[in-house]
Amino acid sequence: MIALLVFLHLVAAITWMGGMAFILFAMRPAALAMLQAPTRPRFILATLQRFFPLVWLSIGVILLTGLIIMLQVGFAQAPIGWHAMFGIGLVMMLVFAHIFFAPYRRARRAAAMQDWPATARGLEQIHPLVILNFTLGWLAIAAALFWH
Ligand code: HEM
């Protein structure tokens, strides 16, 4: 049972982390190199509209499976690295919620009004926050693996 929960936990974490790696190192640089406004912000927004529901789903699965494992083992018995993962994971989730409800929402509203410079501005504000979450994700993984 625990093995299945860890598996689902990893599926969700890898989906979220892999998506961020693809966006940061492949999709975004390719869009900057090959596309101009208004196609560029429209394309980036269209990819995020498809990826973000997956992130919400991943967050739900990560939180649920992680908490069930923690409760079964007992918070007091859990290694310090698991607590660190929990804390870092919660920060990542708050950062994503901020991305979703602030710059991403602004970008979508601007796109609905065909205001492409404002759409691009909103999308640019998402970029450093994704770098932050990608870094935090690796710290959470390192904490779980190396900090006992
Ligand atoms: C936010 C709430 C989170 C909680 C409560 C949580 C909790 C846990 C627990 C209890 C385990 C089981 C470890 C084991 O059985 O060995 C685990 C494993 C793991 N988690 Fe999380 N986690 C959370 C977030 C994250 C995030 C955000 C990531 C990555 C981005 C992540 C990556 C991993 C990895 C790679 C493992 C496997 C480590 C191992 O098997 O030693 N977790 N997590």
Side-chain angles (χ1 to χ4, degrees), residues 6 9-10 13 62 66 69-70 82 85-86 89 92-93 141 145:
V6 175
H9 192 78
L10 290 181
I62 289 172
I69 304 167
M70 288 277 264
W82 292 17
M85 172 183 328
F86 189 12
M92 290 174 68
M93 291 165 193
I141 293 169
L145 288 176

Side-chain angles (χ1 to χ4, degrees), residues 5-148:
L5 290 171
V6 175
F7 176 74
L8 291 174
H9 192 78
L10 290 181
V11 169
I14 290 168
T15 301
W16 189 6
M17 291 295 286
M20 286 196 282
F22 175 74
I23 285 173
L24 286 175
F25 302 117
M27 183 275 278
R28 183 173 180 275
L32 291 180
M34 313 218 31
L35 303 175
Q36 307 298 325
T39 312
R40 186 199 290 169
R42 290 180 70 187
F43 170 77
I44 294 177
L45 195 60
T47 58
L48 296 185
Q49 272 168 343
R50 285 158 180 81
F51 179 55
F52 281 0
L54 265 181
V55 177
W56 281 120
L57 187 65
S58 300
I59 285 177
V61 172
I62 289 172
L63 205 52
L64 190 70
T65 53
L67 278 176
I68 294 174
I69 304 167
M70 288 277 264
L71 286 172
Q72 285 197 348
V73 173
F75 271 79
Q77 273 77 45
I80 177 89
W82 292 17
H83 290 278
M85 172 183 328
F86 189 12
I88 295 169
L90 288 181
V91 174
M92 290 174 68
M93 291 165 193
L94 288 177
V95 171
F96 178 72
H98 173 75
I99 290 174
F100 192 87
F101 292 111
Y104 175 64
R105 178 185 276 180
R106 281 197 291 276
R108 267 192 318 182
R109 285 206 180 132
M113 296 165 68
Q114 307 209 337
D115 181 350
W116 305 120
T119 309
R121 270 200 304 281
L123 293 172
E124 277 311 301
Q125 288 163 358
I126 294 176
H127 179 60
L129 296 171
V130 178
I131 294 176
L132 172 65
N133 257 0
F134 190 62
T135 309
L136 288 174
W138 283 113
L139 289 178
I141 293 169
L145 288 176
F146 302 123
W147 197 5
H148 295 284

